[in-house]
Amino acid sequence: MPFRPVQSEKLSSAVVRQIEKLILRGILRPGERLPSERELSERLDVSRPSLREAVAELQARGLLSPRAGSGIYVADVLGSAFSDALIDLFSKHDEAVFDYLSFRRDMEGLAAERAARAGTDSDLKVIDTLFARMETAHRKRDPADEARLDADFHLAIIEASHNVIMLHMMRSMYQLLREGVFYNRQVMFKQRTTRSALLDQHRLINDALQARDPAGARAAVEAHLNFVEAALFADRKAEEHEAIARQRLERTTARD
């Protein structure tokens, strides 16, 4: 974690501001454990009483949370952008699914463009490493791992765009996706043709980012999400046809 010795001002206030910035920029994530009091005081170059004062303030503000016998953790500052009732409504209507994909296409296309232009070398290395892990999961034919890495890959691009509002908003949205509110992503990764196409699409995204090609990165993300949308639409149509066929069979059986 990139903690730095604090400069001259009230020490506890300087510690508060530094931890605030790490949470704001998404470097310290919800649920992440802070280093021990001894280690953190050494890395920040402050006394333990000053550190305790800062931690107490951040706990009172709901940014940090203690866990008995475990340490201090970043609180779940994301929460949800939507009420439980609205989330339930999303899960029952395809309109929400396709609007969600349209929203992602706009936001993530912009994020990829920004990441290619302004992301640090470290940002791009993280994205490249995640893609390499996706290739490994693909060879192992592990749809659960592929689905998890897919989300991590896309979030890494959003992090590399260095827009803190977009980062926290999209993390909240991705949490709903991980929970299967919009659609079951693992189903896609179980289909051999589809999962191979998805890997190729992620490769094109990664290649454009590593080449620092903003327009290419945006186009690759948009093409990928267009593919996901088309695949979901085809699945929904197939489900509708199957349902109609079952209903006809049931009516025929009832008449006989």
Side-chain angles (χ1 to χ4, degrees), residues 234-248:
D235 285 345
R236 294 295 196 266
K237 285 298 181 184
E239 289 172 1
E240 287 177 11
H241 291 154
E242 288 176 5
I244 291 170
R246 282 197 302 271
Q247 290 172 359
R248 287 174 178 168

Side-chain angles (χ1 to χ4, degrees), residues 30 75-88 90 168-177 179 181-182:
D76 182 12
V77 293
L78 289 180
S80 175
F82 311 102
S83 68
D84 290 343
L86 191 54
I87 290 171
D88 183 61
F90 286 162
H168 290 284
M169 177 183 68
M170 294 304 291
R171 275 189 179 171
S172 178
M173 296 286 285
Y174 261 90
Q175 187 57 38
L176 298 183
L177 187 65
E179 293 168 2
V181 169
F182 294 106

Side-chain angles (χ1 to χ4, degrees), residues 31-172:
E32 187 168 350
R33 184 181 181 276
L34 294 187
S36 68
E37 183 180 276
R38 177 181 176 180
E39 181 184 352
L40 192 51
S41 66
E42 289 175 354
R43 289 166 69 174
L44 292 167
D45 195 21
V46 299
S47 68
R48 291 194 183 188
S50 293
L51 177 60
R52 288 177 194 140
E53 184 178 348
V55 168
E57 179 181 335
L58 291 165
Q59 286 180 211
R61 290 168 50 197
L63 292 173
L64 296 180
S65 177
R67 297 183 189 176
S70 180
I72 304 296
Y73 290 77
V74 179
D76 182 12
V77 293
L78 289 180
S80 175
F82 311 102
S83 68
D84 290 343
L86 191 54
I87 290 171
D88 183 61
L89 197 58
F90 286 162
S91 69
K92 290 178 168 58
H93 293 272
D94 285 348
E95 179 182 356
V97 174
F98 293 108
D99 279 353
Y100 168 76
L101 287 169
S102 177
F103 178 79
R104 274 188 61 191
R105 185 165 48 240
D106 292 342
M107 291 296 99
E108 292 186 37
L110 176 61
E113 185 178 284
R114 289 172 58 99
R117 181 180 295 114
T120 66
D121 290 344
S122 295
D123 291 330
L124 298 186
K125 179 62 177 176
V126 168
I127 294 167
D128 193 47
T129 299
L130 283 167
F131 177 70
R133 291 177 182 169
M134 292 177 75
E135 290 183 306
T136 300
H138 183 81
R139 288 193 296 270
K140 292 180 178 178
R141 298 181 181 180
D142 185 341
D145 205 24
E146 284 188 275
R148 178 184 61 80
L149 288 166
D150 170 76
D152 291 345
F153 178 84
H154 284 277
L155 281 172
I157 295 172
I158 293 164
E159 290 171 357
S161 74
H162 295 285
N163 183 302
V164 296
I165 303 300
M166 183 185 292
L167 169 62
H168 290 284
M169 177 183 68
M170 294 304 291
R171 275 189 179 171
S172 178

